[in-house]
């Protein structure tokens, strides 16, 4: 017998053989599972976690929602679960050396509510040694001997790893207690030649390069050594291209025309300093600091020996190095003329190592 026709305005019946969607896979059910996460989590964290896992499975398995709605619902479920979790237990007290010393001094105070009963000795916290200023490898060794579990880190803002602890110096230390009641200490260190930063993790306060222009070579060297620059990292050069330095120790009174690094630049433990010098008889070149070593001093006979230094400024074949004339020259003024006609020349050495 055929089935009666549906009444006008009523929805058509579902096709025969079509399975109905289970209630727990409907959109409202999925939303309900998400909202149930904080409810069960408030009663028991484990139940809340299990409900979170179930809600995430229903959100992503067989769900026709758009991916962004799935992601939004997932984030919401995780946030709701995290909101009801109890706060994590705080770490045990971590004190600096000064704080630990202060607690040790205050231990056993009669006004303290934790004062011991009459007739008993107060428990004084053991004084923590101060390892600051020690070489890092030695500080670690002594701290382990004193029962600490030791760690270390770079105390500057660079965060580079520490290699060869014997070349590092302790600037900061922080003590604490691990979860297993073991005393811990963490050292903040910097390279041995570096100054300590004001606070752990800040930039190293390298000294600025002073203005050494006008100072003598000897005075400039003393000032650089005071900054921590080793003498073997300071190099002298001539401010004029055709000038040359005398033997070491003989240019102590030569004046500095310019230098590198420039004024106010940081002077680190790896800085090399170059000082361009001029003899006391000469002023600094006009382009000092811009064209270092490119200016030249007057040299009338063009023999490579500046006039101020050349005892024979008008004789091309004689200079301060060869006062009797170059090899093969006849010497004197006649030698000068013959040398000029022959095209010979003096290309004297411009280095103080010649």
């Amino acid at each position: 017998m055929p089935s009666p026709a549906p009444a006008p305005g009523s929805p058509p019946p579902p096709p025969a053989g079509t399975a109905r969607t289970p209630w727990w896979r409907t959109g409202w059910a999925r939303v309900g599972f998400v909202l149930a996460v904080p409810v069960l989590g408030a009663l028991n964290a484990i139940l809340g976690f299990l409900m979170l896992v179930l809600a995430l499975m229903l959100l992503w398995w067989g769900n026709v929602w758009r991916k962004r709605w799935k992601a939004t619902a997932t984030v919401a479920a995780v946030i709701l679960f995290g909101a009801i979790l109890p706060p994590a237990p705080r770490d045990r007290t971590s004190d600096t050396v000064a704080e630990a010393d202060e607690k040790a001094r205050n231990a056993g105070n009669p006004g303290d509510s934790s004062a011991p009963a009459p007739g008993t000795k107060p428990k004084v916290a053991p004084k923590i040694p101060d390892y600051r200023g020690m070489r890092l490898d030695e500080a670690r060794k002594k701290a382990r001997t004193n029962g600490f579990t030791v760690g270390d880190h770079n105390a500057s803002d660079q965060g580079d790893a520490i290699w060869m602890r014997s070349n590092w110096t302790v600037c900061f230390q922080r003590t604490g207690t691990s979860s297993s009641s073991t005393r811990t200490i963490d050292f903040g260190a910097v390279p041995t030649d570096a100054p300590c930063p004001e606070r752990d993790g800040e930039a190293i306060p390298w000294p600025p390069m002073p203005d050494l222009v006008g100072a003598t070579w000897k005075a400039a060297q003393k000032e650089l050594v005071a900054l921590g620059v080793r003498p073997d990292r300071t190099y002298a050069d001539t401010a004029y291209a055709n000038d040359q330095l005398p033997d070491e120790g003989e240019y102590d009174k030569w004046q500095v025309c310019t230098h590198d690094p420039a004024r106010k630049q940081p002077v680190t433990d790896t800085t090399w300093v170059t000082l361009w010098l001029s003899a006391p008889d000469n002023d600094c070149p006009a382009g000092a600091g811009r064209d270092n070593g490119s200016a030249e001093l007057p040299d009338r006979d063009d023999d490579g020996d500046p006039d101020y230094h050349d005892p024979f400024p008008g004789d091309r074949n004689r200079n301060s190095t060869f006062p009797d004339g170059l090899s093969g020259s006849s010497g004197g003024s006649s030698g000068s003329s013959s040398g000029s006609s022959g095209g010979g020349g003096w290309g004297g050495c411009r280095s103080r190592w010649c």
Side-chain angles (χ1 to χ4, degrees), residues 300-311:
R300 283 178 291 172
D301 54 11
D302 196 26
D303 62 354
D305 207 0
D307 291 345
Y308 88 95
H309 186 261
D310 191 350

Side-chain angles (χ1 to χ4, degrees), residues 237-328:
D237 200 354
T238 58
Y240 291 95
N242 61 340
D243 203 1
Q244 68 180 56
L245 292 172
D247 293 335
E248 189 167 354
E250 296 182 7
Y251 53 88
D252 288 348
K253 294 183 179 181
W254 284 41
Q255 65 174 331
V256 178
C257 293
T258 185
H259 49 76
D260 181 51
R263 177 174 172 264
K264 293 186 177 180
Q265 292 295 312
V267 179
T268 71
D269 57 339
T270 59
T271 297
W272 287 77
V273 178
T274 301
L275 304 178
W276 281 272
L277 309 176
S278 177
D281 297 339
N282 305 312
D283 294 328
C284 290
R290 184 178 68 252
D291 304 318
N292 295 334
S294 61
E296 292 192 352
L297 290 166
D299 185 9
R300 283 178 291 172
D301 54 11
D302 196 26
D303 62 354
D305 207 0
D307 291 345
Y308 88 95
H309 186 261
D310 191 350
F312 313 100
D315 190 342
R316 184 181 180 86
N317 290 318
R318 291 193 298 171
N319 53 39
S320 58
T321 305
F322 296 97
D324 296 329
L326 298 176
S327 176

Side-chain angles (χ1 to χ4, degrees), residues 91-93 149 175-185:
D91 292 337
R92 301 290 293 273
T93 304
T149 299
T175 59
T177 308
S178 68
S179 56
S180 59
S181 300
T182 302
R183 291 198 306 167
T184 62
I185 190 166

Side-chain angles (χ1 to χ4, degrees), residues 72-344:
T72 302
T74 300
V75 173
V78 174
I79 291 176
L80 290 172
F81 178 67
I84 53 87
L85 288 178
R90 294 183 62 184
D91 292 337
R92 301 290 293 273
T93 304
S94 179
D95 301 317
T96 61
V97 174
E99 292 169 345
D101 290 344
E102 182 66 20
K103 289 187 176 182
R105 287 193 297 268
N106 292 335
N109 189 345
D112 191 352
S113 59
S114 59
T120 61
K121 292 184 178 180
K123 294 182 179 180
V124 179
K127 186 175 181 179
I128 299 174
D130 191 351
Y131 302 97
R132 291 171 296 186
M134 294 180 59
R135 217 170 64 184
L136 179 57
D137 58 333
E138 295 178 351
R140 287 178 58 93
K141 183 178 179 180
K142 290 189 176 182
R144 282 195 297 266
T145 302
N146 291 330
F148 287 100
T149 299
V150 185
D152 55 48
H153 65 277
N154 190 332
S156 73
D157 60 344
Q158 299 301 311
D160 299 331
I162 292 179
W163 298 92
M164 295 186 67
R165 294 186 175 97
S166 58
N167 293 333
W168 291 69
T169 301
V170 176
C171 288
F172 306 97
Q173 63 183 45
R174 182 173 291 274
T175 59
T177 308
S178 68
S179 56
S180 59
S181 300
T182 302
R183 291 198 306 167
T184 62
I185 190 166
D186 183 48
F187 293 127
V190 297
T192 298
D193 293 331
C196 290
E198 186 175 348
R199 294 182 181 85
D200 198 349
E202 292 187 353
I204 294 176
W206 295 109
M209 182 71 176
D211 186 3
L212 299 177
V213 174
T216 64
W217 162 258
K218 190 171 184 179
Q221 265 201 320
K222 287 183 178 179
E223 196 162 347
L224 290 172
V225 169
L227 282 180
V229 181
R230 301 199 310 263
D232 61 342
R233 287 183 177 270
T234 304
Y235 177 75
D237 200 354
T238 58
Y240 291 95
N242 61 340
D243 203 1
Q244 68 180 56
L245 292 172
D247 293 335
E248 189 167 354
E250 296 182 7
Y251 53 88
D252 288 348
K253 294 183 179 181
W254 284 41
Q255 65 174 331
V256 178
C257 293
T258 185
H259 49 76
D260 181 51
R263 177 174 172 264
K264 293 186 177 180
Q265 292 295 312
V267 179
T268 71
D269 57 339
T270 59
T271 297
W272 287 77
V273 178
T274 301
L275 304 178
W276 281 272
L277 309 176
S278 177
D281 297 339
N282 305 312
D283 294 328
C284 290
R290 184 178 68 252
D291 304 318
N292 295 334
S294 61
E296 292 192 352
L297 290 166
D299 185 9
R300 283 178 291 172
D301 54 11
D302 196 26
D303 62 354
D305 207 0
D307 291 345
Y308 88 95
H309 186 261
D310 191 350
F312 313 100
D315 190 342
R316 184 181 180 86
N317 290 318
R318 291 193 298 171
N319 53 39
S320 58
T321 305
F322 296 97
D324 296 329
L326 298 176
S327 176
S329 67
S330 58
S333 58
S334 60
S336 173
S337 59
S338 63
S340 301
S341 62

